[in-house]
Amino acid sequence: IVRERGAWRRVKNSRYARRITANTPIDIGGPARGAELMRTAADPDGVRALGTFGNCAGGRTPWGTYLTAEENIQDYFGNYALLQKERGADDHIVASHSRWSMWNTHSLYGWEAADPRFDLTRNPTEPYRFGWIVEIDPRDPTRAPIKRTALGRFAHEGANSIIAPDGRVAVYMGDDAKFEYVYKFVSDRRFDAKNPSANRDLLESGTLYVARFDANGSGQWLPLVYDEKGPLNKAAGFRNQAEVLIKARAAASVLGATPMDRPEDVDVNPVTGRIYIACTNNDRRAEESRVAHYRGREIDLGPNPANPRPLNQYGHIVEIRETGDDHTSSAFSWEVFLLGGDPSGGRLVASVASATAESSYYAGYTKAEELSPIGSPDNLGFDRNGNLWIVTDGDQPDQSNNGCWVCPTTGPERGRLQRFMSGPIGAEICGCEFTPEGDTLFLSIQHPGSGGSVTNPISHWPDGEGTQPRASVIAIRKEGGGRVGS
């Protein structure tokens, strides 16, 4: 796309344009490259996967590449029940798939009927080749995308990075599922601003961590590292470092990470360096501590300090500060920044400690009449002033449509959340991506009209009456110019 005479337009036949699909050859990089679980009959060396799908928000790197996030890959694979019953099936493989809630018979999309890759009885290791962060170089269409296995395998919502004081790169990620975890990757090598080509493989090696949120407001990043004398060893079901990363969810559980309320986007404030986690919602969070068998593991379904509300219908946002403001640190402090809900009618509280399932909390801001209600925070973004931008996917306290909100994170107006835009009926709003100058905000309008049908559409976005709704990308600018939101 390019902006000409004040309007954005698509560049037809651009040399940068390409389509990356479920059939695009993609290199496998990192510690899981060539691992036994990554090998299939079509790729016996386990070095090149076919395709990427289930992609979500992703993120940008300091060296100009794009990270796309493979999220709900389980919806593409079928016949898990048949694999479980199959005589001679590898128990190690069968058990590890349970954490992804694979489909017992027909998958959600039925791809196994058209391509045997997606039939678990015929290709039981194919799912291990998905659920990764994929790095794409938009400036070099001839370069194959790369699955960066050092960043772990789970239902990735996004991957947002920052250069630490010592030059290494930290990448923050959330696993978008109920009672899953928050992760951080720290590269081994340092960013080289003078030699961009030297950064091409910065994500090839490093350490993956998972977060534990302690009750006193402190926290620890726990390293997912194979160690025969440590917790992540053969006795725990991991035969090497590749398997720790392939089964990152199981490894995080062994380490005692904190189960969260659908941690989706995790982004870094470019001004303060603080990290924000959007926890969208969790209607399975019990009212009190209750250990139960959930997704192949024993878990406490009750509230915890970082997820303080039962039946968390409207979600919340957690704020992290790394110790010493060093994004390679293994320790951090944290607090709940926002509890979604309706601040009117006396439901706004000044302290998280006094919150109930019906309460809302806005970083301590107490003027309810100046606040906009919000629910189900999803993707996050920041403008150049460090204001937090939030888009939503789910129930809103006032039954309005999903949309985009903006909120200061510092100063006397910290927590003063205001609604910026309202989306079409049935749509999820994604994006929060600004141009470098901050004068255009791009938002994605995803699945407008959801809840309707072809014969009875409830939305006609964006083409108007008599048309079917279509997903879209919109560009928002300020009349008269200047930074959006200023």
Side-chain angles (χ1 to χ4, degrees):
I1 59 175
V2 65
R3 193 169 74 190
E4 293 180 343
R5 294 187 294 275
W8 289 94
R9 68 171 181 84
R10 182 167 63 93
V11 180
K12 296 182 179 180
N13 302 318
S14 167
R15 68 188 182 94
Y16 298 112
R18 56 174 163 163
R19 185 179 296 277
I20 297 171
T21 74
N23 288 317
T24 301
I26 297 181
D27 289 340
I28 298 172
R33 177 180 172 86
E36 181 180 347
L37 291 182
M38 299 292 278
R39 300 171 191 165
T40 64
D43 178 28
D45 295 326
V47 297
R48 176 163 277 202
L50 198 60
T52 182
F53 47 80
N55 309 89
C56 203
R60 293 173 289 174
T61 67
W63 50 96
T65 58
Y66 174 69
L67 304 177
T68 185
E70 295 179 338
E71 192 181 22
N72 292 316
I73 59 97
Q74 72 278 358
D75 292 336
Y76 299 81
F77 294 91
N79 295 327
Y80 180 49
L82 291 178
L83 176 66
Q84 291 174 298
K85 297 176 182 178
E86 196 171 72
R87 182 176 298 177
D90 188 326
D91 291 341
H92 188 73
I93 292 174
V94 172
S96 67
H97 284 328
S98 66
R99 191 62 179 268
W100 281 81
S101 301
M102 295 289 173
W103 288 74
N104 285 326
T105 53
H106 303 299
S107 70
L108 181 62
Y109 301 116
W111 284 15
E112 71 278 6
D115 188 335
R117 285 198 290 146
F118 302 99
D119 185 336
L120 288 170
T121 63
R122 302 174 69 177
N123 288 284
T125 59
E126 186 72 16
Y128 298 127
R129 297 150 68 84
F130 301 92
W132 303 101
I133 291 294
V134 183
E135 185 173 15
I136 300 170
D137 188 344
R139 296 183 179 87
D140 185 1
T142 66
R143 189 183 184 206
I146 303 175
K147 302 206 176 195
R148 297 298 188 186
T149 66
L151 277 66
R153 176 176 171 266
F154 44 90
H156 289 278
E157 172 77 15
N160 290 293
S161 56
I162 188 170
I163 302 170
D166 69 356
R168 288 184 290 167
V169 175
V171 183
Y172 294 90
M173 301 165 286
D175 186 347
D176 182 10
K178 297 168 185 176
F179 301 110
E180 290 296 347
Y181 307 121
V182 175
Y183 297 83
K184 175 176 76 171
F185 168 83
V186 178
S187 67
D188 285 339
R189 294 173 43 230
R190 289 168 170 76
F191 175 73
D192 188 342
K194 297 180 180 179
N195 183 14
S197 63
N199 303 312
R200 289 171 69 101
D201 290 319
L202 268 180
L203 303 183
E204 188 68 2
S205 63
T207 303
L208 181 67
Y209 299 86
V210 67
R212 187 190 73 212
F213 296 85
D214 297 329
N216 63 358
S218 65
Q220 292 290 319
W221 292 109
L222 311 171
L224 276 72
V225 176
Y226 176 80
D227 183 353
E228 195 51 51
K229 296 181 180 180
L232 301 181
N233 55 24
K234 289 184 175 65
F238 309 98
R239 297 179 291 197
N240 47 51
Q241 179 62 23
E243 291 198 2
V244 168
L245 296 168
I246 291 169
K247 299 187 288 183
R249 284 176 162 177
S253 292
V254 170
L255 294 178
T258 301
M260 306 291 285
D261 289 346
R262 284 187 62 199
E264 296 211 47
D265 210 7
V266 185
D267 210 346
V268 185
N269 189 322
V271 176
T272 66
R274 297 192 180 186
I275 302 99
Y276 294 79
I277 306 162
C279 296
T280 300
N281 50 47
N282 187 355
D283 59 359
R284 296 193 179 183
R285 179 73 67 181
E287 293 191 14
E288 56 188 30
S289 181
R290 178 166 62 86
V291 176
H293 193 72
Y294 185 86
R295 290 188 175 178
R297 57 179 166 150
E298 297 299 315
I299 187 172
D300 188 340
L301 302 180
N304 60 56
N307 303 268
R309 292 194 299 190
L311 302 174
N312 189 8
Q313 181 180 3
Y314 296 122
H316 64 289
I317 295 174
V318 177
E319 180 185 63
I320 284 179
R321 180 174 183 174
E322 298 279 27
T323 299
D325 292 321
D326 181 356
H327 292 87
T328 70
S329 175
S330 62
F332 60 88
S333 59
W334 65 272
E335 63 180 277
V336 173
F337 178 78
L338 183 148
L339 290 172
D342 188 348
S344 67
R347 287 169 290 217
L348 181 67
V349 295
S351 169
V352 175
S354 58
T356 66
E358 292 75 32
S359 300
S360 63
Y361 170 76
Y362 286 61
Y365 200 84
T366 57
K367 298 177 182 178
E369 69 279 4
E370 297 181 2
L371 296 169
S372 299
I374 189 173
S376 308
D378 190 342
N379 294 155
L380 305 176
F382 288 93
D383 59 28
R384 294 173 65 179
N385 294 326
N387 294 310
L388 174 64
W389 293 72
I390 307 165
V391 292
T392 63
D393 175 22
D395 292 342
Q396 297 306 310
D398 56 358
Q399 282 71 56
S400 61
N401 296 347
N402 283 302
C404 178
W405 285 253
V406 61
C407 182
T409 59
T410 59
E413 295 202 327
R414 171 179 162 91
R416 185 174 181 265
L417 184 80
Q418 295 287 293
R419 186 161 194 149
F420 179 78
M421 67 84 73
S422 178
I425 295 173
E428 166 189 356
I429 311 302
C430 315
C432 285
E433 288 292 335
F434 290 90
T435 53
E437 299 79 14
D439 58 358
T440 301
L441 169 64
F442 294 102
L443 296 173
S444 295
I445 310 300
Q446 189 174 349
H447 58 73
S450 178
S453 67
V454 172
T455 56
N456 185 30
I458 59 174
S459 172
H460 301 284
W461 171 270
D463 299 313
E465 193 67 30
T467 65
Q468 292 291 330
R470 296 191 294 161
S472 317
V473 175
I474 63 173
I476 300 175
R477 292 185 293 119
K478 184 178 181 181
E479 289 186 355
R483 293 183 185 176
V484 175
S486 61

